[in-house]
Amino acid sequence: MPELPEVEALALDLSGRLDGRAIAKVHVAAFSALKTFDPPLTALEGAFVDGVTRHGKFLDIDAGGLHLVLHLARAGWVRWRDEVPTIPPKPSSKSTLAVRVVLDDGSGLDVTEAGTRKSLAMYVVHDPADVPGIARLGPDPLTPDFTRDVLAAILQRAGRAQIKGVLRDQSIIAGIGNAYSDELLHAAKLSPFKPANSLTDEQVDTLHAALDGVVGDAVRRSRGLAASELKGEKKTNLAVHGRTGETCPVCGDVVREVSFADSSLQYCATCQTGGKPLADRRMSKLLK
């Protein structure tokens, strides 16, 4: 799933490519992706792109006073095309194409979604806040006003909720998903199931520093990369997420996994849980 660093880099890459270009046409190949009807897609035709920004994990293309907002969900991606086909795409269950944006010079971008579970979303709105997911977003962790004290207050309000879930909740902190929450907790040496309000002052300090050291560094590494390079960059620099059975780069222990119905988390027992493997959530009581 694209998270804050990848969406930030996509916004930067597309901003350079779309600067000074007008939207000629927007084709929807997967009708379930379009979540709005007013303004209509045709309202974007002829509108010049004024900028591309990010709100949490949402990508926002500002064009002529309207906003084409994309949420790439779990398996969505944006692929730049120097030349798009002249024939509009047809809906097909065999194709990953969800949306095609055609620009006035014949270039454009394809928004794709792999897999059978379709949750990619596109909105055309007058204001980004008209998108329910954006309206509910918590603070962005990389803004200057996201201080250590702000994080401490968030954790206290979360009460006994598990820290992994708190970090992933977009209404609490914007932009962090499954991968970077694993990475943050590994860097901060915290169990993913530790209650949010039980962190010591030192642990809050460490977690706040990890936000810049993990997520901030990922943003800095990703800047200037083309969309086609971002997935490889992310995977190469992950310490534990998606690395079950491999060696922890910090201590040399094996990276372990806890599986859930539709996702999983990865962690290092030596670094994060005092050497004790976490029990499977579906089988027994969680280690706190």
Side-chain angles (χ1 to χ4, degrees), residues 43-62:
L44 290 166
E45 295 176 8
F48 281 87
V49 175
D50 297 314
V52 184
T53 54
R54 173 188 63 82
H55 311 279
K57 292 187 280 187
F58 289 83
L59 193 64
D60 175 8
I61 301 173
D62 181 354

Side-chain angles (χ1 to χ4, degrees), residues 241-257:
H241 183 78
R243 298 193 179 279
T244 304
E246 298 181 26
T247 300
C248 170
V250 174
C251 71
D253 193 4
V254 65
V255 175
R256 292 173 167 83
E257 177 179 301

Side-chain angles (χ1 to χ4, degrees), residues 178-200:
N178 198 28
Y180 286 105
S181 58
D182 281 351
E183 296 297 298
L184 283 167
L185 293 170
H186 177 257
K189 301 185 182 300
L190 294 171
S191 166
F193 300 136
K194 188 173 182 62
N197 67 353
S198 71
L199 271 65
T200 65

Side-chain angles (χ1 to χ4, degrees), residues 146 148 150-170 172-174 176-200 202-208 210-211 260 265-267 272-273 278 281 286-288:
F146 194 93
R148 181 264 183 211
V150 168
L151 176 60
I154 286 172
L155 297 176
Q156 284 302 309
R157 285 195 299 270
R160 300 286 298 174
Q162 295 165 0
I163 186 66
K164 166 81 173 178
V166 172
L167 291 174
R168 290 187 63 187
D169 189 330
Q170 299 303 294
I172 297 176
I173 300 174
I176 298 171
N178 198 28
Y180 286 105
S181 58
D182 281 351
E183 296 297 298
L184 283 167
L185 293 170
H186 177 257
K189 301 185 182 300
L190 294 171
S191 166
F193 300 136
K194 188 173 182 62
N197 67 353
S198 71
L199 271 65
T200 65
E202 183 179 358
Q203 288 172 330
V204 174
D205 291 342
T206 304
L207 181 59
H208 185 261
L211 283 166
F260 303 93
L265 65 82
Q266 286 78 43
Y267 70 100
Q272 296 174 252
T273 61
L278 295 172
R281 185 179 185 185
L286 297 177
L287 173 69
K288 302 297 184 185

